[in-house]
Amino acid sequence: FLFFLLTNRLRKLSEDVQIFKEGKYNHRVEIKGKDELAQLGSTFNEMAKSIEEGIQKLKEADHQRSQLIANISHDLRSPLTSIRGHLETLLLEEKNISEREKREYVEITLRNVAGFQRLVEELLDLARFESGQIIPEKLLFSPAELLQDVVLKMRGQSDSHDITIKYDPDPNLPPYMGDIGLFERAVTNIIGNAIEHTPEKGTIKVD
């Protein structure tokens, strides 16, 4: 009778493990008693929970990667479409457009090429980060002062779009331990995107 009880619990534990193995990652072992089999079941449940959480994180990362690829594809397609359109116009309407218009088309094309190049470089940097080729150099710095510097640096770009950037540094903002160059680049990209997507005479508030 004792042998039957022991083997029955072992068989039940084996069945639970098999269910988990078949992909039902939320399945858990029912714990009864406080002996070695109960401890084994408890250990299995902890391992199963850890595996389930890991799988969920992988799914979230895969979803984020898919979104990133979709966003990058869209961002790359926009300047390429503009570049192609302006070049085709120059070729087809060369005799019908003025020199001033030709120059404007070339200038717009060059801006789009520069934007396209920036996107490609950022994509390459992302790949280097993921492969561990770029290691952030962490130093203590004042994010309030760095933000102030970035806002001043981008004042010319915002003025050319007739956009106002409002930023009042918070004196109580604590120092931050991080890579100054990467932090500055991130903030510059964010404010740059805001300038591109804000209508003329609009206002950008950095808070």
Side-chain angles (χ1 to χ4, degrees):
F1 178 72
L2 289 174
F3 181 75
F4 170 78
L5 288 178
L6 178 63
T7 55
N8 187 53
R9 290 178 65 195
L10 283 171
R11 185 165 54 253
K12 182 65 173 65
L13 179 61
S14 176
E15 290 172 355
D16 288 330
V17 173
Q18 184 63 34
I19 291 171
F20 184 85
K21 178 183 176 183
E22 290 173 355
K24 296 182 179 179
Y25 300 117
N26 60 344
H27 185 75
R28 298 292 183 270
V29 174
E30 185 179 353
I31 308 297
K32 291 183 178 180
K34 296 183 179 179
D35 58 5
E36 287 82 358
L37 277 179
Q39 292 177 8
L40 180 61
S42 178
T43 302
F44 173 82
N45 284 345
E46 291 176 5
M47 180 195 70
K49 180 182 178 182
S50 177
I51 291 174
E52 186 181 18
E53 289 174 351
I55 290 173
Q56 185 60 35
K57 288 179 181 178
L58 285 173
K59 287 181 178 179
E60 291 173 0
D62 188 57
H63 177 67
Q64 290 175 355
R65 186 182 297 273
S66 298
Q67 282 189 322
L68 176 65
I69 292 173
N71 291 336
I72 289 173
S73 299
H74 176 269
D75 289 343
L76 292 177
R77 189 184 299 116
S78 296
L80 279 176
T81 302
S82 178
I83 291 168
R84 178 176 178 177
H86 284 95
L87 290 178
E88 287 178 346
T89 301
L90 281 173
L91 285 174
L92 296 174
E93 303 293 335
E94 182 180 5
K95 297 179 180 178
N96 301 324
I97 56 179
S98 64
E99 291 298 321
R100 183 181 61 81
E101 289 176 319
K102 288 180 182 179
R103 183 176 182 81
E104 287 179 355
Y105 282 175
V106 171
E107 289 176 350
I108 293 172
T109 301
L110 285 174
R111 284 200 297 270
N112 279 294
V113 169
F116 183 82
Q117 184 178 5
R118 176 177 57 81
L119 286 169
V120 172
E121 288 173 353
E122 289 176 358
L123 186 59
L124 289 173
D125 283 346
L126 179 62
R128 294 190 188 104
F129 267 116
E130 289 193 337
S131 64
Q133 295 179 26
I134 296 179
I135 301 175
E137 184 179 353
K138 295 184 177 181
L139 297 170
L140 196 66
F141 66 93
S142 169
E145 292 180 4
L146 184 59
L147 279 167
Q148 181 71 45
D149 292 342
V150 173
V151 169
L152 291 173
K153 179 182 71 174
M154 303 195 72
R155 193 75 76 185
Q157 186 177 345
S158 63
D159 288 346
S160 66
H161 288 73
D162 199 10
I163 292 171
T164 302
I165 301 180
K166 290 185 177 180
Y167 174 59
D168 296 318
D170 183 356
N172 298 317
L173 196 64
Y176 178 72
M177 179 67 73
D179 190 302
I180 299 175
L182 294 176
F183 188 90
E184 180 181 1
R185 182 170 177 179
V187 175
T188 300
N189 284 342
I190 292 170
I191 296 177
N193 286 335
I195 293 173
E196 290 296 324
H197 293 88
T198 300
E200 287 190 5
K201 302 186 184 304
T203 300
I204 298 169
K205 184 179 179 183
V206 182
D207 201 0

